[in-house]
Amino acid sequence: MKYNVLLLGSGGREHALAWGIAKSSKLDKLFIAPGNPGTAKSGENVALDISDFDKVWEFIQRHDIHLTVVGPEQPLVDGLADFLEEKCHAVFGPKQQAAMLEGSKEFAKDFMKRHDIPTAAYKVFSQNEFDKAAEYIIEKNKYPVVLKADGLAGGKGVLIPESEQETLKAFEELKDGSLSGAASRLVVEEFMEGEEVSVFAICDGDSFKVIGNAQDHKRIGEGDTGLNTGGMGAYSPAPIGAKELLESVEEEIIKPTIDGMKAEGNPYQGILYVGLMITSDGPKVVEYNCRFGDPECQVIIPAMKSDLLDVIISCTEGRLSETSIELDNQYRCTVVLASGGYPQGYEKGKEITGLENIDAGMVFHAGTKTDGNKLLTNGGRVLNVVGEGQSLQSAILDAYNQVHKIGFENMYYRNDIGAKGLKRLA
Ligand code: AMP
Ligand code: GLY
């Protein structure tokens, strides 16, 4: 059977997924909603409001879609998978209760506690207990300390005060609502010292397979300085993720997560993104996400030698354990080309030049739009340039060689993507 597939989302992650799915021998037609000019090369973009579940369902029926693949977290946390599965439609992505691993920090922390999954010690406070929370922190006098808004906050829900004064300032911010509605409950967490790495597992509710690991670069500035962003670049595999370490992550973190979700009646199907801190006590969970990382997806999907659509279908049909997944052993590095000013104010509509000069490597679109024959910037993160090679160093070189061929007004990127990995290898 050949599949008609609907992929939801519009970023670089979705371009990488569309590119991967489009190569499948099982694909008939691929639609991407709403997509971007990059995804339009792999399938047909459709203007569809993906937060309107009825509209999504109408489209699925009208176009005889067999499978929906969900890129971003919001529709999953809002229950899109439940809504479509009730209509007997196959969806790749967890149902609402399983997506709570990302949707609620409190749920995730309590879940890890119930299942003995290593993570930072924590305490939860409700909105009318903020004074009590501040008192608790000041009394403990252990800095830095981590404050997390409970709900989805688009990466902006974490404050890390380093002193009593900064704690009081953080609570002022929390009280005046700058962390949006997400802060109705607050998780106060012990600060973990170490290096971060993300591990990605594909899951069918019962079993899972690790499909890669990557290190993201969340801060806007080189040397991990400045404001937090959605991610300025990533590389894979990360040298910090040595074989023994990854085996212990599978055994002590991913397996109990999948088994625990199943035992609690919320089998986890889809991509499980486990954000880890490698501490002197071993790996501990910083966060779970219920979808691929962006830009981490852009360095993981190209490594998959198996038919991506086939693997996804095996998850929606609960047959992952019978499916073999083959990955290549190349290194990859992606550099995010951003609009100057991001993650704060920036201008859009700048003409992008040079893409026709890209030979090796790949470029995934994130915030772009077309205007006649022109390609214009249309977001903070604009393009993700991917380099590959036999070594991390050659992957990084390949990526920057491509970057130097592309231009737009006020283009900004970090020059040190992958540097941490190289340092570890040295
Ligand atoms: P999260 O939204 O939970 O991923 O947190 C965002 C970022 O804050 C993480 O990527 C870490 O860099 C940092 N962070 C979160 N929790 C902790 C923690 N307990 N200890 C140290 N850093 C943390
Ligand atoms: N790159 C971080 C994330 O996707 O959450």
Side-chain angles (χ1 to χ4, degrees), residues 105 146 148 158 189-192 196 218 286-287:
K105 304 268 187 210
V146 182
K148 292 187 178 179
V158 178
E189 198 174 286
E190 171 193 75
F191 181 82
M192 296 184 281
E196 285 182 77
K218 286 211 168 112
V286 177
E287 63 167 343

Side-chain angles (χ1 to χ4, degrees), residues 308-382:
L308 175 62
L309 180 56
D310 199 32
V311 173
I312 288 176
I313 293 165
S314 80
C315 287
T316 63
E317 294 181 352
R319 297 184 285 103
L320 179 64
S321 58
E322 301 157 20
T323 309
S324 74
I325 300 183
E326 227 190 309
L327 305 164
D328 72 12
N329 46 19
Q330 297 273 87
Y331 282 85
R332 287 185 177 78
C333 169
T334 183
V335 178
V336 172
L337 305 185
S339 300
Y342 171 80
Q344 292 176 301
Y346 56 83
E347 290 176 18
K348 295 183 187 175
K350 309 291 183 195
E351 185 174 357
I352 301 166
T353 55
L355 283 188
E356 67 284 0
N357 302 326
I358 304 292
D359 38 38
M362 272 170 284
V363 177
F364 292 121
H365 291 229
T368 64
K369 68 173 177 192
T370 46
D371 179 15
N373 287 333
K374 288 185 185 165
L375 186 68
L376 306 180
T377 67
N378 194 37
R381 294 192 290 174
V382 178

Side-chain angles (χ1 to χ4, degrees), residues 39-56:
T39 63
K41 291 185 211 152
S42 300
E44 184 179 333
N45 285 349
V46 284
L48 190 61
D49 173 5
I50 62 171
S51 66
D52 187 335
F53 294 179
D54 288 318
K55 285 264 159 57
V56 173

Side-chain angles (χ1 to χ4, degrees), residues 194-269:
E195 198 172 319
E196 285 182 77
V197 65
S198 305
V199 178
F200 297 87
I202 191 160
C203 316
D204 72 355
D206 187 53
S207 60
F208 70 90
K209 288 192 172 156
V210 169
I211 54 170
N213 68 77
Q215 203 165 36
D216 189 11
H217 297 65
K218 286 211 168 112
R219 305 290 198 93
I220 188 70
E222 280 157 25
D224 295 332
T225 54
L227 294 172
N228 256 320
T229 70
M232 293 302 295
Y235 64 93
S236 174
I240 191 170
K243 194 164 170 277
E244 305 77 55
L245 182 108
L246 289 175
E247 279 167 7
S248 85
V249 168
E250 282 199 29
E251 270 315 299
E252 284 158 39
I253 293 176
I254 304 182
K255 189 166 189 311
T257 302
I258 298 305
D259 290 350
M261 291 304 282
K262 190 181 168 201
E264 293 187 7
N266 298 315
Y268 193 97
Q269 186 263 89

Side-chain angles (χ1 to χ4, degrees), residues 15 19 40 49 57 85-86 106 118 142 204 244 288 292 317 354 373 408 410 425:
H15 186 185
W19 172 86
D49 173 5
W57 176 233
E85 281 181 22
E86 261 170 40
E106 182 178 9
K142 200 164 168 240
D204 72 355
E244 305 77 55
Y288 290 113
F292 253 123
E317 294 181 352
N373 287 333
F408 55 84
N410 285 334
L425 288 173

Side-chain angles (χ1 to χ4, degrees), residues 53-67:
F53 294 179
D54 288 318
K55 285 264 159 57
V56 173
W57 176 233
E58 209 181 287
F59 182 88
I60 288 170
Q61 289 175 293
R62 196 155 20 96
H63 291 85
D64 197 18
I65 303 291
H66 303 106
L67 167 72

